[in-house]
Amino acid sequence: MAARCNFWLPKKKRFCSNVLLRDSQFCGNHTQRSDGQWVPCPIHPSHSVLEENLQSHLKRCPFFKQAQSLSIQPFYQEGINAGKEEEEGGQNFSSEMKRNAVHGMTLFEFSQLINKIKSIHASICSDIGDSFKIPQACDIWTNRQVDRGLPFQEKHVMQQASILGNLEEFGVLKSCGDDAVSGTLKSEASGDDDDVPSVVEFGAGRGYLTQVLADCYKIKKILLVERKSYKLKADRSLRQKESVTLERLRIDIEDLKLNAVESLQGVPYLAIGKHLCGPATDMTLRCCISKQCNQHNDAPSDSTCRLIGLAIATCCHHLCQWKHYINKRYMLDLGITKDDFNAMTWLTSWAVDADHGSDLCGTGSFDLQIRENEHVESDPNTYDVKNMVKNMKAVDRAVVGLMCKDIIDVGRFMWLKEHELECELVKYVPSNISPENRLLVARQKS
């Protein structure tokens, strides 16, 4: 029987089944992992090419025309929302690098980090309350009275409805009672169509959060921001609404200069995002709050578009990077260094380790059983951090992961407050619907 490739496929949770190349432990698709001849394509890092073929590949890369056309757009500015580079280098840390750093700690260093996380969480994260709001305006979705051709998954509809319910509770969306169209977007705009508030969905994916918003509230202008191409998008259904103007920008949030988008000039807008993965949340905040963009990029704003409200459901904190994080100063003031932050982002992956049928945060007073005599002169060959982690209960790991997520999100919450926005950080759905259930809601002060 032919030998099979040794490359592990994390999503499929198995090894690749392709046949090995001669004199290699990998197949042709994954051989770049075994030698240094393969490099990421500089046009689009989603694929790799042989280094000697790089120049010829650049001329025929399928993403070349897309990148070329995007680069001449006025709203494209490379890295405008990426964050400030550090003097020692702004490289990103992979999950493997973060894991190795944690496993390389001494037992004493690891226990100190866990104790620091518990202490900080107890002091700053006590005000994250439950806010599961299903507004009456969303009845047509929650009762499945919408077009049967639209995809319906109850857990996603509950999340989308609660995001909108929290915006309504916060005063950004306005309910219209029993009207046929159940709600509207609240602003100080006049009745002129040119002043009707717009909705910008970041990391829009297929756009079904905006679909629910369009079906349940009176919105006329929609801008979807997404770097990937999707099938089965909500765009077709949205374009069938006569009163709706829809625009989709295929661009990375990191490179989006929102002030230069022509359709938003002179228009107040609401920014929304459901499950903005990792640093995408930080980039979205920079993109929307022009003061911070100008501070980091020395680019004066001549835009007349104005943020009136914001709702972002955060997720995938294990992808967060110190380089992109929005409130590094706040972390440093808490005593969290860059290395601590990288370790915490890796620990956030523990948050999905346990059963989320109940709220795990109520078990936050757990004892990790890390005693002083376990981290003084332990033999690393017999008992180290890696073994300690393996011996921890799943619920204990999950609680530590959730604490790390909360601390990261509180830093974002504090950044919004520093920029003079009224804001809240809430649990917008129960954890049995989604363990990624933190929502940042903000609006301009009256």
Side-chain angles (χ1 to χ4, degrees), residues 79-144:
I80 186 174
N81 303 314
K84 191 175 181 180
E85 295 280 350
E86 296 185 329
E87 293 181 1
E88 65 271 21
Q91 77 277 12
N92 289 336
F93 287 80
S94 66
S95 292
E96 183 179 5
M97 295 166 65
K98 295 175 181 179
R99 181 185 67 240
N100 291 339
V102 172
H103 288 172
M105 291 180 177
T106 65
L107 293 177
F108 177 73
E109 290 170 339
F110 181 71
S111 65
Q112 289 293 97
L113 175 63
I114 298 300
N115 289 334
K116 181 189 292 187
I117 290 169
K118 292 173 63 178
S119 175
I120 291 174
H121 185 273
S123 63
I124 68 172
C125 300
S126 58
D127 295 332
I128 305 176
D130 296 320
S131 186
F132 184 37
K133 308 287 184 182
I134 304 298
Q136 185 179 357
C138 293
D139 282 352
I140 59 172
W141 267 92
T142 55
N143 296 331
R144 301 195 68 171

Side-chain angles (χ1 to χ4, degrees), residues 356-371:
H356 289 273
S358 58
D359 191 354
L360 294 175
C361 288
T363 61
S365 59
F366 68 94
D367 181 5
L368 280 177
Q369 302 296 329
I370 303 176
R371 294 179 290 273

Side-chain angles (χ1 to χ4, degrees), residues 171-174 184-192 195-198 267-270 306-309:
V172 179
L173 291 176
K174 179 182 176 183
T184 186
L185 186 56
K186 189 175 180 181
S187 80
E188 300 170 0
S190 68
D192 192 340
D195 293 328
V196 174
S198 182
V267 178
Y269 70 94
L270 166 67
R306 178 172 60 88
L307 176 72
I308 58 174

Side-chain angles (χ1 to χ4, degrees), residues 344-384:
M344 285 172 54
T345 58
W346 184 73
L347 296 178
T348 60
S349 62
W350 289 358
V352 297
D353 274 6
D355 176 19
H356 289 273
S358 58
D359 191 354
L360 294 175
C361 288
T363 61
S365 59
F366 68 94
D367 181 5
L368 280 177
Q369 302 296 329
I370 303 176
R371 294 179 290 273
E372 192 72 23
N373 61 354
E374 289 181 328
H375 52 65
V376 179
E377 293 294 339
S378 298
D379 182 359
N381 294 321
T382 59
Y383 198 68
D384 55 10

Side-chain angles (χ1 to χ4, degrees), residues 387-406:
N387 289 322
M388 177 182 289
V389 170
K390 286 182 179 179
N391 292 331
M392 288 175 62
K393 295 179 180 179
V395 66
D396 289 348
R397 289 196 302 268
V399 170
V400 172
L402 289 170
M403 286 181 175
C404 293
K405 283 176 175 284
D406 286 346

